[in-house]
Each structure stands twice: as structure tokens, then as C-alpha cells.
């Protein structure tokens, strides 16, 4: 039927490429030992916490309840929207109905960025640019607005691209990719997209610019429900984690070079969002029907380390603080909760002096 | 809201702004946005039929193919889409209102206000009341409403206080011989009357445990008495005979 054409690109994740942070595939075996990993097990210099000896690391306690709860009235309880994002300037943006609020995590102050007109709204997606200052907003009327949060001014409106609401936005350096309910993706560049058609597409610049019949690099068909949860692994290049909706309930891992599925685990409930721990090898998943839980998994063993409850409705929206330690989740129960899942900021701030430098780190690498 | 044109920076009261906006939206103007509602929520509105928006309407009805033919009715805000439909049989405990909010309806809502203490108090209270009695959160709330302006701490104190007052009597249901059940309420009344002598020295839990012990003793006594009656003895003998005969 026309079900195929109605595919919602409900989720987009762009993998940003910065020079000097190209990643080799780390050797998995060395991770299991207690000695400091060999230099070949490579993680870019930002993530060199792995290099400190595991035997001296204190056990981390994951609190079972949220640290803080904020009121989030009028939040839209829709699986296909992305209403929460935490910018690199440590400001959280959340869309409640037609209004975008900014919450400064450093002092807890709230401000309103913009309220769109009733005919244009509600806001359907929110995404900070990497600079932490500019923010892109997708609207139900298919427009995308670009705002400067420091001056509270609107810079641009992108219209005419999509024909239906813009449910998903992703920045890759200065390129903004937008996904619409009409199934279009515009300005794709090294992108993973998940849709209501149960498919995940990997788009690569080389193939999209070619004249081949299929513009995608890989089409991943294993999920049996809509795919909204997507997350690129920060410590292993070209590793993508995807999560399936209510009928699928699984988390799958993919090598986006080859398109192969590396692992699949059943979580028992609808997977709404996925986030990787920037400092440890862990994955966090947020769920909807029916348990509304957060789950922390060890990677690659996929042993469940913790299960966190608190939300009384699907945990649809999740974002990570810039320091990587705190997770913010929002749900249809109209609360915005903060969880110290990935450790306390003091632990993460340890200097990386002990890191053994990788060989050839001063040179650009070819992947 | 009209934006001021001067460049003076004014501190914005988010709470007042939000409250004012909510007021106006409650009063006004739903018939101006049939497209929006159709596109987002799918609930049929009188004006929507006359609109011929190609993408919006067509898309929604096509996406609702998962057995969503029945209209949701006005005021229902469940968005369409296969993933927004809960699986059949999942317990959805609606609190009798439209929204699924964690906060009670009377609580003043302010975007991003810290409500940690309130939510925790509500969760604790819900745990304490348990699933057996269907006590709503509503009843002690009128007390709390008056103290909301002062601080967050006082509502919690009130909740705890009212909780203690309302904790139910130890009403353990004793399962035993049918003949003893009729006597149990009398036994319990007797116990609670006895215990009312020194209520302050014992916590509710201790009181409950004591009463359970007493009830057990009394019931066992009753059982033994029953067993000694001639009819019970006869029945037991007959049972033993039957067993032996079956073994022949």
C-alpha cells in the first residue's frame, strides 16, 4: 500500500569527523585485563581515561532514582518527536508545546527562547549546533528556524524543504540535516537515519553524490518496528547502536563500514533513545511501553548494570550533559529528570596526563 | 505576546507568563487550528472535513493504518502513529483526568521549576498507601494548598502528618476454617480495644505484629476445639477407613 511512502524519518544521527580524532577499531581483548591497555587500543585523546589502571579505579555507584526533577508542563507525548537537547555550553533546551525553554545547568536558571504561533507549532524537534550557541528548531508546519541563543534572535527560517513536520534534526559541524515526516532527508552527510518503516539507512557522502540508483550506503532491515533510537559509538569508529520500537524492543549494533549486524539483544520494552557513555564502555537506553525504565548496559558484553525507574510514562526524550556525567530525560508524565548515571563530574575531570600517546598521533590518519 | 521594542533587558517571570498563556489557551480559540490538531492529534473536529490539505490529512489517515479507524473523540490528545499506541493489555492507570502528569492537577505548573521534593513526596505516599486501598491523593491536598507559597518543605510535612492519621487499622484477613471467619471481626475488635490502652509506645508495625500473634493463637484454639467435637472425629475416622480400603 502506500505505507512505504509514508515513512517517517523519525531520527537522524550524524557522525562528526574532526581531524586528529579518527578512530581505529580498538582491540577488544585487551580491555578485559587489569593492566593498562596497550597503545594500540585506541581512543582519541579526549577519551584517554581508559588508560588509567583499572585496578585502582573505585567502584561506581549508580543512584537508583533521579537526582532532580523539573516540571515540564504541556510536553507533547509523541514518539516521533525530539524535544530535548543539551548543548555544549551546558544549556538544556526543551520544547513544551509551542515554546522553547532554555535551562542553564550551571545556575539552574530558566529562560524562554521563543514561542511560535499556534498555527506554526507545536515545536517538533530541537537541536543545538556544536558551538553551543546556535540552535535549530523544527516545527509542525514543516519549517526549520535557526536561532542565536545568546542574543535571542532568529537568524533564518528554512522553509519549502519539507512538506510535513520536521521531527528530527542533526548537526554535523556546520551542516544541519533535517528529517521530515514526509520521508525526506535534506543535506545528508555521513548520516544514520531511522524511520517508521523499520529501516535504518546509512548515508555516506560518496554514495549520495554519485548517480547510483540507491543513494544510501547501507539499508539495515533487521528491526521489526520503527527505529528512533540511534547512537554513534564515541570510542569505536563506525559502530552504530540502534533501538527498535514496541514490536521489536531490541538494541542492535552495526558495523557501518560493512553493514553487518554485530549483536542484538532483547530489552523487553520499546526503545525510545540510546546514549553512549563518553568515559566508559557503557550504553544507556531509555524505554517506553511498558516499563518506562532506563537501562545501563556494559559494552560489549551487554550485561545490564542498572535499571532505573521513576518516570511514569514513556521516556521519549533523552540528552547528555557536555561533561558526559548527567543524563536528562523527559517523558509524557510532564517531568524532566536528571540522573547521575555516568559518574560524578569530579571523577571525569581527572587529567589525562598518564595517557600513553598513540603512535603517529600528530599525523592525519586515513580510515 | 507583543515584544517590547526598546533594548532594555527585563527580567521575565516565567511562571506568570506560563500561567497567563494557559489561561488564554483554555478560554480561546480552538476552532482556528483544525489543521494543526488534525496533523498532530488526529482528533476529528468539525472544520477539518472542509479542509483539503493534501499532505496533512492524507498522511495521517494513511499512518493510522494500525487499526486506528475509530476516532479518538474530542479532547483526547493521543497522537497517531504506530509507536504511540500502547500494546493491548498494558495497564494504563489513568488518574481520572486527561493528562498523564506526575503532579496533581491542582498544583501550579511552572515550566522547569524544581519539583523534586514534591514528586518524591507523592511517590512515597503512593508506596505507603499501597495498592490495596484505593485512596486517592486528593483528600489531604486541601491542607497543602494553603502553604504552597511559603516553601516546598511544608507540603511534605503535611502529607506525612495526614498519612499517620489515616493509616488503616490492622485489618488482617485471616484465612482459616470457614466457621472461624465469622468470629474474626469480633476477635480483632477485642484486640484493638485492648491495645488502645497504650497507643503511643508502639509503632503501627509493632501493633500489627502483636495483633497478628494474638489472632493466630485464638484461631488455633478454635480449630482445636472444633476437632474435638464428635462429628469431626467421626468424619476423620471415615476418612481413614476410606484410605485403608482403597489400599486393599
Amino acid at each position: 500500500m502506500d505505507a512505504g511512502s509514508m515513512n517517517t524519518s523519525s531520527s537522524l544521527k550524524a557522525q562528526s569527523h574532526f581531524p586528529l580524532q579518527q578512530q581505529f577499531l580498538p582491540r577488544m581483548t585487551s580491555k578485559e585485563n587489569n593492566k593498562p591497555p596497550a597503545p594500540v587500543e585506541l581512543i582519541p585523546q579526549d577519551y584517554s581515561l581508559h588508560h588509567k589502571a583499572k585496578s585502582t579505579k573505585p567502584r561506581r555507584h549508580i543512584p537508583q532514582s533521579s537526582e532532580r526533577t523539573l516540571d515540564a508542563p504541556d510536553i507533547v507525548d509523541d514518539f516521533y518527536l525530539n524535544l530535548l537537547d543539551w548543548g555544549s555550553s551546558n544549556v538544556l533546551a526543551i520544547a513544551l508545546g509551542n515554546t522553547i525553554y532554555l535551562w542553564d545547568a550551571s545556575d539552574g536558571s530558566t529562560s524562554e527562547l521563543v514561542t511560535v504561533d499556534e498555527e506554526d507549532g507545536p515545536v517538533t524537534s530541537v537541536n543545538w549546533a556544536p558551538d553551543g550557541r546556535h540552535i535549530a528548531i523544527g516545527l509542525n508546519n514543516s519549517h526549520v528556524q535557526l536561532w542565536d541563543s545568546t542574543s535571542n534572535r532568529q537568524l533564518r527560517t528554512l522553509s519549502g524543504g519539507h512538506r510535513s513536520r520536521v521531527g528530527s534534526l542533526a548537526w554535523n559541524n556546520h551542516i544541519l540535516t533535517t528529517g521530515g515526516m514526509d520521508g525526506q532527508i535534506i543535506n545528508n552527510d555521513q548520516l544514520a537515519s531511522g524511520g517508521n518503516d523499520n529501516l535504518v539507512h546509512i548515508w555516506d557522502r560518496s554514495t549520495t553524490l554519485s548517480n547510483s540508483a540507491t543513494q544510501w550506503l547501507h539499508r539495515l532491515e533487521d528491526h521489526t518496528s520503527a527505529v528512533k533510537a540511534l547512537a554513534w559509538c564515541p570510542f569505536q569508529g563506525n559502530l552504530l547502536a540502534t533501538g527498535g520500537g514496541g514490536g521489536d524492543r531490541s538494541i542492535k549494533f552495526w558495523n557501518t563500514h560493512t553493514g553487518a549486524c554485530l549483536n542484538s539483544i532483547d530489552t523487553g520494552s520499546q526503545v525510545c533513545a540510546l546514549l553512549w557513555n563518553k568515559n566508559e564502555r557503557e550504553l544507556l537506553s531509555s524505554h517506553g511501553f511498558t516499563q518506562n525504565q532506563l537501562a545501563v548496559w556494559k559494552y560489549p558484553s551487554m550485561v545490564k548494570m542498572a535499571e532505573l525507574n521513576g518516570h511514569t510514562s514513556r521516556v521519549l526524550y533523552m540528552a547528555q550533559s557536555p561533561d558526559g556525567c548527567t543524563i536528562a530525560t523527559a517523558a509524557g508524565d510532564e517531568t524532566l529528570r536528571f540522573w547521575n548515571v555516568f559518574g560524578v563530574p569530579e571523577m571525569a575531570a581527572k587529567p589525562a596526563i598518564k595517557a600513553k600517546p598513540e603512535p603517529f598521533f600528530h599525523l592525519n590518519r586515513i580510515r | 505576546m507583543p515584544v517590547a521594542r526598546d533594548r532594555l533587558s527585563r527580567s521575565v517571570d516565567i511562571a506568570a507568563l506560563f500561567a497567563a498563556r494557559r489561561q488564554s489557551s483554555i478560554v480561546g480559540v480552538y476552532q482556528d487550528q483544525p489543521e494543526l490538531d488534525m496533523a498532530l492529534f488526529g482528533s476529528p473536529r468539525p472544520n477539518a472535513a472542509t479542509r483539503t490539505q493534501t499532505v496533512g490529512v492524507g498522511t495521517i489517515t494513511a499512518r493510522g493504518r494500525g487499526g486506528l479507524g475509530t476516532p479518538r473523540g474530542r479532547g483526547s490528545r493521543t497522537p497517531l502513529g504506530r509507536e504511540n499506541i500502547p500494546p493491548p493489555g498494558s495497564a494504563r492507570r489513568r488518574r481520572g483526568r486527561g493528562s498523564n502528569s506526575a503532579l496533581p492537577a491542582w498544583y501550579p505548573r511552572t515550566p522547569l521549576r524544581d519539583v523534586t521534593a514534591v514528586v518524591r513526596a507523592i511517590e512515597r505516599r503512593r508506596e505507603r498507601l499501597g495498592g490495596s486501598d484505593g485512596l486517592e491523593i486528593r483528600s489531604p491536598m486541601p491542607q497543602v494548598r494553603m502553604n504552597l507559597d511559603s516553601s516546598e518543605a511544608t507540603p511534605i510535612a503535611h502529607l506525612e502528618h495526614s498519612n499517620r492519621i489515616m493509616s488503616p487499622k490492622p485489618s488482617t484477613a485471616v484465612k482459616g476454617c470457614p466457621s472461624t471467619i465469622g468470629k474474626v471481626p469480633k476477635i480483632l475488635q477485642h484486640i484493638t480495644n485492648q491495645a488502645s490502652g497504650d497507643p503511643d509506645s508502639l509503632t503501627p508495625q509493632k501493633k500489627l505484629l502483636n495483633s497478628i500473634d494474638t489472632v493466630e493463637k485464638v484461631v488455633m484454639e478454635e480449630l482445636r476445639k472444633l476437632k474435638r467435637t464428635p462429628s469431626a472425629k467421626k468424619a476423620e475416622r471415615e476418612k481413614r477407613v476410606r484410605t485403608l480400603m482403597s489400599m486393599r
Side-chain angles (χ1 to χ4, degrees):
Chain A
M1 203 216 145
D2 58 344
S5 66
M6 292 307 159
N7 302 332
T8 309
S9 291
S10 57
S11 195
L12 301 169
K13 282 290 168 355
Q15 190 183 32
S16 305
H17 293 290
F18 299 102
L20 295 186
Q21 285 193 14
Q22 308 295 333
Q23 297 147 8
F24 292 123
L25 285 170
R27 279 215 202 123
M28 293 306 195
T29 50
S30 58
K31 179 200 172 300
E32 308 305 326
N33 306 339
N34 267 341
K35 13 186 202 175
V40 174
E41 183 201 80
L42 290 181
I43 304 151
Q45 46 215 16
D46 284 0
Y47 310 122
S48 1
L49 280 172
H50 285 280
H51 290 275
K52 62 179 191 273
K54 291 231 167 122
S55 49
T56 60
K57 192 170 63 179
R59 250 200 171 166
R60 186 173 103 236
H61 166 68
I62 299 178
Q64 288 289 304
S65 59
S66 53
E67 179 207 348
R68 192 204 291 249
T69 307
L70 304 186
D71 195 7
D74 293 341
I75 193 168
V76 182
D77 185 15
D78 190 333
F79 181 86
Y80 300 98
L81 307 185
N82 289 284
L83 304 182
L84 185 65
D85 196 27
W86 203 327
S88 60
S89 53
N90 210 16
V91 175
L92 187 93
I94 184 169
L96 305 178
N98 298 328
T99 308
I100 301 229
Y101 293 95
L102 303 179
W103 185 77
D104 191 334
S106 46
D107 62 5
S109 63
T110 307
S111 64
E112 182 184 318
L113 176 71
V114 58
T115 298
V116 301
D117 295 333
E118 295 269 359
E119 310 85 74
D120 301 337
V123 179
T124 50
S125 52
V126 166
N127 206 265
W128 286 98
D131 65 2
R133 172 181 169 160
H134 296 95
I135 184 168
I137 299 167
L139 302 180
N140 195 55
N141 69 351
S142 83
H143 292 184
V144 176
Q145 293 180 357
L146 291 175
W147 284 74
D148 181 344
S149 65
T150 47
S151 59
N152 270 29
R153 283 192 315 124
Q154 182 175 355
L155 303 175
R156 297 184 65 178
T157 300
L158 312 173
S159 57
H162 290 281
R163 300 191 311 274
S164 318
R165 75 177 177 199
V166 181
S168 178
L169 300 165
W171 286 91
N172 181 4
N173 280 346
H174 305 292
I175 300 173
L176 174 67
T177 306
T178 60
M181 197 175 77
D182 51 15
Q184 287 185 57
I185 299 178
I186 302 178
N187 271 352
N188 39 322
D189 180 9
Q190 276 285 347
L191 188 67
S193 65
N196 202 31
D197 51 3
N198 308 348
L199 301 177
V200 177
H201 286 92
I202 309 294
W203 310 84
D204 192 278
R205 170 167 270 190
S206 56
T207 49
T208 49
L209 293 179
S210 70
N211 285 331
S212 62
T214 55
Q215 288 192 304
W216 37 264
L217 178 64
H218 295 294
R219 169 185 274 180
L220 313 174
E221 298 180 305
D222 291 21
H223 281 289
T224 58
S225 281
V227 181
K228 176 186 172 180
L230 298 171
W232 290 101
C233 181
F235 53 81
Q236 187 173 338
N238 292 315
L239 173 67
L240 177 72
T242 60
D248 177 271
R249 302 181 296 273
S250 68
I251 297 177
K252 295 185 194 286
F253 298 91
W254 310 87
N255 177 337
T256 58
H257 271 319
T258 62
C261 181
L262 305 172
N263 195 2
S264 174
I265 57 142
D266 185 9
T267 65
S269 22
Q270 181 188 47
V271 184
C272 299
L274 287 172
L275 276 179
W276 288 93
N277 187 341
K278 292 181 195 164
N279 303 321
E280 303 286 337
R281 293 193 174 190
E282 290 164 6
L283 179 67
L284 173 69
S285 60
S286 80
H287 297 268
F289 304 130
T290 50
Q291 295 153 39
N292 310 326
Q293 81 275 32
L294 297 175
V296 184
W297 311 85
K298 196 82 194 137
Y299 184 79
S301 60
M302 290 313 284
V303 168
K304 194 188 294 192
M305 291 172 47
E307 195 166 276
L308 310 176
N309 297 287
H311 278 294
T312 53
S313 160
R314 301 175 297 166
V315 190
L316 295 173
Y317 317 113
M318 190 157 72
Q320 189 173 23
S321 64
D323 65 8
C325 295
T326 310
I327 300 296
T329 57
D333 62 3
E334 297 188 328
T335 58
L336 169 64
R337 291 179 191 247
F338 293 86
W339 313 78
N340 284 340
V341 182
F342 291 153
V344 188
E346 300 90 64
M347 277 168 55
K350 287 215 177 85
I353 308 169
K354 294 188 201 133
K356 233 172 160 184
E358 320 153 5
F360 312 121
F361 67 90
H362 52 284
L363 299 173
N364 276 329
R365 288 177 289 237
I366 304 170
R367 293 176 37 191
Chain B
M1 298 266 309
V3 178
R5 286 207 181 166
D6 55 30
R7 290 167 192 251
L8 297 172
S9 60
R10 292 190 175 83
S11 61
V12 180
D13 183 1
I14 296 283
L17 210 62
F18 181 77
R21 190 173 296 136
R22 259 209 167 165
Q23 281 292 340
S24 60
S25 72
I26 290 169
V27 168
V29 196
Y30 276 111
Q31 54 264 33
D32 276 355
Q33 37 166 356
E35 275 179 52
L36 159 66
D37 283 309
M38 195 65 185
L40 192 63
F41 302 122
S43 53
R45 297 199 177 258
N47 299 342
T50 61
R51 299 272 174 164
T52 51
Q53 179 76 2
T54 51
V55 178
V57 174
T59 314
I60 289 297
T61 50
R63 278 175 73 218
R65 71 192 192 283
L68 257 195
T70 59
R72 296 295 187 117
R74 224 166 290 190
S76 140
R77 304 223 117 196
T78 316
L80 289 182
R82 177 163 46 104
E83 293 297 328
N84 287 321
I85 305 162
S90 71
R92 293 221 297 159
R93 235 173 17 98
R94 283 305 190 165
R95 281 164 236 193
R97 284 167 249 119
S99 87
N100 211 0
S101 172
L103 294 168
W106 51 263
Y107 193 83
R109 309 298 298 272
T110 305
L112 306 186
R113 172 166 56 184
D114 195 322
V115 294
T116 315
V118 181
V119 168
R120 276 202 196 135
I122 291 173
E123 280 168 14
R124 252 184 283 137
R125 190 160 192 285
R126 198 175 299 137
E127 274 168 44
R128 213 173 290 155
L129 289 177
S132 53
D133 43 5
L135 279 175
E136 279 283 321
I137 309 177
R138 285 183 181 281
S139 27
M141 284 311 118
Q143 307 168 1
V144 187
R145 193 199 285 263
M146 291 180 272
N147 296 339
L148 265 174
D149 297 321
S150 48
S151 71
E152 299 287 4
T154 39
I156 304 162
H158 271 242
L159 281 168
E160 308 249 351
H161 176 66
S162 55
N163 216 2
R164 223 171 287 137
I165 293 172
M166 286 162 54
S167 74
K169 278 190 193 166
S171 52
T172 50
V174 181
K175 292 198 177 81
C177 263
S179 54
T180 56
I181 282 189
K183 297 209 180 152
V184 167
K186 281 192 214 148
I187 298 169
L188 286 172
Q189 264 182 2
H190 180 63
I191 292 166
T192 47
N193 288 339
Q194 272 184 340
S196 60
D198 52 343
D200 297 315
S201 56
L202 297 170
T203 68
Q205 288 92 330
K206 285 213 188 107
K207 273 192 241 176
L208 191 61
L209 286 170
N210 287 348
S211 58
I212 288 174
D213 288 336
T214 333
V215 168
E216 190 190 354
K217 266 185 241 158
V218 173
V219 169
M220 292 309 286
E221 267 296 314
E222 290 286 325
L223 270 172
R224 254 177 264 132
K225 271 190 226 164
L226 274 176
K227 277 206 182 132
R228 284 187 223 122
T229 63
S231 52
K233 284 191 177 163
K234 208 188 274 182
E236 226 195 283
R237 192 174 174 279
E238 262 175 49
K239 199 173 82 179
R240 269 200 222 128
V241 167
R242 232 181 295 138
T243 323
L244 282 171
M245 300 290 275
S246 67
M247 286 196 264
R248 278 199 302 162

